[in-house]
Amino acid sequence: MKSLRLIAVSGIAASVAVGAAACSSSGSSTPAAAPTSSPAASSSSKAMASGAGSSASAMSDFGPACSSVPKTGAGSFTGMAAAPVATAASANPVLSTLVTAVKKAGLVDTLNAANGITVFAPDNSAFAKISPSTLDSVLANKSELTKILTYHVVSGRYTPAELASGKTFKTLEGGTVTTAMSGGTYTVNGAAVVCGNVQTANATVYIIGSVLMPK
């Protein structure tokens, strides 16, 4: 019985000490340091809270190439959010080669009219990895060009958290793409996302550094 009473007294003393420490801490004039996290990790945690298929999450865009996007005007993140995806991309100089390809394939109206899609959009540097002769040949072949471009589009609007989970998505072309996240970098079929979670009126866009090729 004595040992039980000693344990009880010790527990009460410990509780009082903890409470006193908490009161002292809350009265301190120096705020606690906020936890730090990488932009990608912060984006992922916010995306989990936003839920699947969200048309616009509370999180912001992320990735090294985002700094190349205009700060103001129709091609800025704010400007793109107000326009359907093909129109929004046409105002962004980072995506000018892609826009040329979309126009040649006759997909502007199709993409603008889509109701909730995710687009993996190759930037200009992605197309620059393709030899000029091959690129010219593809741009001149509407059927092949359409197949390649629609391989970059999936139905539904997906958050970074959903992409990070390593899912496989069926594309408009009919094939599949697989996403992943490792070391803070998001990838689609191995192609790095260089600027992600860009919102347009009807799509969520992930700008990627390579052109995806369907089988």
Side-chain angles (χ1 to χ4, degrees):
M1 293 295 291
K2 287 183 179 180
S3 61
L4 290 175
R5 283 196 295 272
L6 285 173
I7 292 172
V9 170
S10 298
I12 293 171
S15 299
V16 171
V18 172
C23 291
S24 173
S25 176
S26 63
S28 173
S29 60
T30 304
T36 59
S37 62
S38 67
S42 176
S43 295
S44 296
S45 61
K46 290 179 183 178
M48 290 177 185
S50 68
S54 171
S55 62
S57 81
M59 52 188 286
S60 62
D61 50 85
F62 64 88
C66 289
S67 60
S68 300
V69 175
K71 305 302 181 187
T72 59
S76 67
F77 294 121
T78 301
M80 290 180 70
V85 64
T87 301
S90 68
N92 191 327
V94 174
L95 301 173
S96 59
T97 307
L98 174 62
V99 170
T100 296
V102 168
K103 289 179 178 177
K104 284 184 175 293
L107 292 173
V108 172
D109 292 340
T110 299
L111 293 175
N112 278 347
N115 184 21
I117 54 176
T118 294
V119 178
F120 302 110
D123 63 6
N124 293 342
S125 68
F127 284 99
K129 295 177 182 178
I130 302 172
S131 69
S133 59
T134 299
L135 182 58
D136 288 343
S137 175
V138 172
L139 290 175
N141 187 332
K142 185 175 181 179
S143 176
E144 183 66 16
L145 183 60
T146 298
K147 183 177 181 180
I148 293 172
L149 293 177
T150 53
Y151 185 64
H152 291 73
V153 183
V154 301
S155 180
R157 302 183 71 155
Y158 294 97
T159 65
E162 291 169 307
L163 268 57
S165 63
K167 289 186 177 181
T168 296
F169 302 91
K170 185 174 182 179
T171 70
L172 264 59
E173 179 269 340
T176 60
V177 293
T178 301
T179 62
M181 196 272 277
S182 178
T185 299
Y186 292 81
T187 60
V188 187
N189 283 8
V193 173
V194 296
C195 183
N197 198 45
V198 179
Q199 300 298 322
T200 74
N202 69 325
T204 298
V205 178
Y206 293 88
I207 300 175
I208 57 178
S210 298
V211 177
L212 307 179
M213 299 301 292
K215 293 180 180 179

